[in-house]
Structures are given as structure tokens and as C-alpha cells.
Amino acid sequence: MAEIVTPRPASTILLLRDAAARQVGGESRNEIEVFMMVRHYEIDFSSGALVFPGGSVDKGDKEIIANRALYSAGEGLDESALSFRIGAIRETFEESGILLARPKGSSELVDAARAREIELAHRSLLCESKTSFLNVLAETGMVLALDELVPYAHWITPEGMPKRFDTWFFLAAAPPEQLGAHDGREATDSIWVSPREALEGGESGRFKLPFPTTRNLIRLGKQASVGEALEDSRGRSIVTVMPVMTKTATGRQLRIPLEAGYDGEVFEVGAAG
């Protein structure tokens, strides 16, 4: 029997912004846009896929927990919950340059100009492990805005896979005028795209969409504004999803909990080869 790989803690943020009304199917419709990136084709997990910024929680994220002055709104959260949130903000900064933080003593998110200065001075060093996120926060006087994150989903890679992740998805309104850009290493392109457009790209072959990404885009696309998306998710109970794959005469199926809220329980994911 193959050894069961322990999932690695990971987290990701769906950064949202409101888009101007556009014509869809002959009618004007309000849509939201989400920041997404194309993973490098040489990455060994979801290579070439269109994904949300995120990645593994690391030791440095847990070291930040001990310094309460470096983050806000951690009350009532245990070490695991805090590390997922801190890791989500760090990974988003590394992969997009967007920083969900406030200057110490301020109630406002860091403005775009200052965020850009911090990105230029620290992002590459952080990505190359030449500095730590703790040092970046301490040197810039930033406080992580954990209160901006709204838990959205919790997925665990199925058993039997060689690389597994225990991933929390969070929603957050993108800080005003922080536009984001891919790093050119782990990601080769980045776009602001509506869930509808991303899904259409997946169907046409323009984009490669992992199964969890597709399900979350479909769910997200039901909301017409950032405010509605955040409000709908606040207080919603999160049902953990660990898909179970089965082979059928016609292909493969994935089964997920119906109560997770993805409009279905069994999904066809591939034809028989």
C-alpha cells in the first residue's frame, strides 16, 4: 500500500475589485474581478495553470505570531489559524506585490505609492529567502491587516497524490490602486479577470484551471460586487473539501461534500484514457 503523504499547510487569497458594468449576453451586468496568475510551466504543482496567488505556510509565518505588534485582529484565533492568514498575506505579497497591511498606528491600508516602495525594496529579497517577512514588517513599520481576510473555503488534496496541500482560501478587497504583477519566476503572467471570463477561458482552452479553482470561480461568479461577496462569506460555515476520485467506464469522477456549497456532489473530470 502506498504511503499517505501528509498535506502541507497552504493558503491563498482571492483579491477582489469591482469592475465597470459590461454587456454580457445583450444585457448590462455588474461583475467583480479577481487577481489571477499563470504558474510557470516548470513548477511541479499545477504547472501552467491559472490560479490565485498563494502557497505554503512556512516557519517564518509562525515566528510572526509571537509579536502581536506585527498584525491586527488576531483575537480568538489559534496558532494554526493565524499562520494560515499570515502566510496568505506573505505569499500574496511575494507573488503579486500587493500588500494587505497598515502603517503602524493607522486605520487605513497602506497607500499604493508606499506599497510600491516596499515592494521594490523587499519583494525580490523575500522571494530569494535573503530576508524574512518579519524583518520586512519591522523595517517598514507595517502591521498585517488580518481583519481584511474573510475565510472562503478549505480544500485538502486527495489521498494518493504525491504532493498534497491543506489549503485555506480567503477573500479580500484589493487595496485601492495596488494593481499587482507576477514575479516572472513562479508565475509568467497575471491578469484581473471576472469569474465568468476565467471560466470561459477554461472551456475554450485559453486557460488551464485546476478543479478547486473552477469550483471557487463558479461560486464567486454569483456575486455582483465585492461587498456582496464579502458579506455572503462572513459567518458562513466552512465545510472542508477533500475530493475522492473514482474511475468509471467513461472516465473519472470527483466526489465532494454537497454541503460545501458548490452546487453539486459528483463531477466528471476526465474521459477514459
Side-chain angles (χ1 to χ4, degrees), residues 195-218:
R196 174 187 56 82
E197 291 169 323
L199 291 165
E200 289 175 354
E203 292 176 357
S204 70
R206 177 187 176 194
F207 300 132
K208 174 183 174 182
L209 295 176
F211 179 73
T213 305
T214 298
R215 305 306 348 143
N216 282 311
L217 284 168
I218 291 173

Side-chain angles (χ1 to χ4, degrees), residues 156-191:
I156 300 176
T157 310
E159 293 180 351
M161 301 296 287
K163 182 169 285 192
R164 302 180 66 212
F165 293 92
D166 177 344
T167 305
W168 274 92
F169 293 76
F170 299 95
L171 299 185
E177 298 182 17
Q178 289 195 46
L179 300 180
H182 55 284
D183 61 10
R185 292 184 292 270
E186 291 193 16
T188 58
D189 196 7
S190 56
I191 54 173

Side-chain angles (χ1 to χ4, degrees), residues 23-246:
Q23 292 293 314
V24 181
E27 62 180 35
S28 180
R29 182 189 301 178
N30 291 324
E31 292 186 299
I32 55 179
E33 292 181 329
V34 59
F35 184 83
M36 301 189 74
M37 310 177 309
V38 177
R39 287 180 63 82
H40 197 286
Y41 72 94
E42 291 182 343
I43 296 291
D44 62 358
F45 189 82
S46 293
S47 60
L50 185 69
V51 297
F52 313 114
S56 298
V57 175
D58 67 23
K59 180 181 177 182
D61 299 325
K62 297 180 179 179
E63 291 175 349
I64 290 173
I65 294 173
N67 192 334
R68 282 287 290 110
L70 296 180
Y71 57 93
S72 64
E75 300 81 4
L77 299 177
D78 61 20
E79 180 177 308
S80 175
L82 286 169
S83 64
F84 277 113
R85 285 162 172 78
I86 292 168
I89 294 179
R90 175 187 51 76
E91 281 285 343
T92 296
F93 176 66
E94 288 183 6
E95 296 197 340
S96 73
I98 293 175
L99 181 60
L100 286 164
R102 299 183 179 92
K104 193 171 296 182
S106 173
S107 61
E108 301 294 328
L109 290 174
V110 59
D111 64 57
R114 177 61 177 141
R116 178 62 172 162
E117 290 176 356
I118 295 171
E119 177 193 0
L120 291 174
H122 300 280
R123 183 182 176 190
S124 293
L125 294 175
L126 187 59
C127 291
E128 296 167 6
S129 300
K130 294 179 179 178
T131 188
S132 69
F133 201 34
L134 188 154
N135 287 340
V136 173
L137 298 175
E139 291 175 18
T140 60
M142 289 292 123
V143 178
L144 297 180
L146 302 191
D147 52 306
E148 292 290 314
L149 304 186
V150 178
Y152 189 64
H154 182 211
W155 286 67
I156 300 176
T157 310
E159 293 180 351
M161 301 296 287
K163 182 169 285 192
R164 302 180 66 212
F165 293 92
D166 177 344
T167 305
W168 274 92
F169 293 76
F170 299 95
L171 299 185
E177 298 182 17
Q178 289 195 46
L179 300 180
H182 55 284
D183 61 10
R185 292 184 292 270
E186 291 193 16
T188 58
D189 196 7
S190 56
I191 54 173
W192 284 96
V193 62
S194 72
R196 174 187 56 82
E197 291 169 323
L199 291 165
E200 289 175 354
E203 292 176 357
S204 70
R206 177 187 176 194
F207 300 132
K208 174 183 174 182
L209 295 176
F211 179 73
T213 305
T214 298
R215 305 306 348 143
N216 282 311
L217 284 168
I218 291 173
R219 183 170 147 195
L220 187 64
K222 297 177 181 180
Q223 309 300 329
S225 71
V226 174
E228 288 180 18
L230 296 175
E231 188 59 34
D232 181 68
S233 295
R234 286 192 180 96
R236 179 193 286 264
S237 60
I238 305 295
V239 176
T240 298
V241 177
M242 187 173 73
V244 175
M245 182 179 290
T246 56

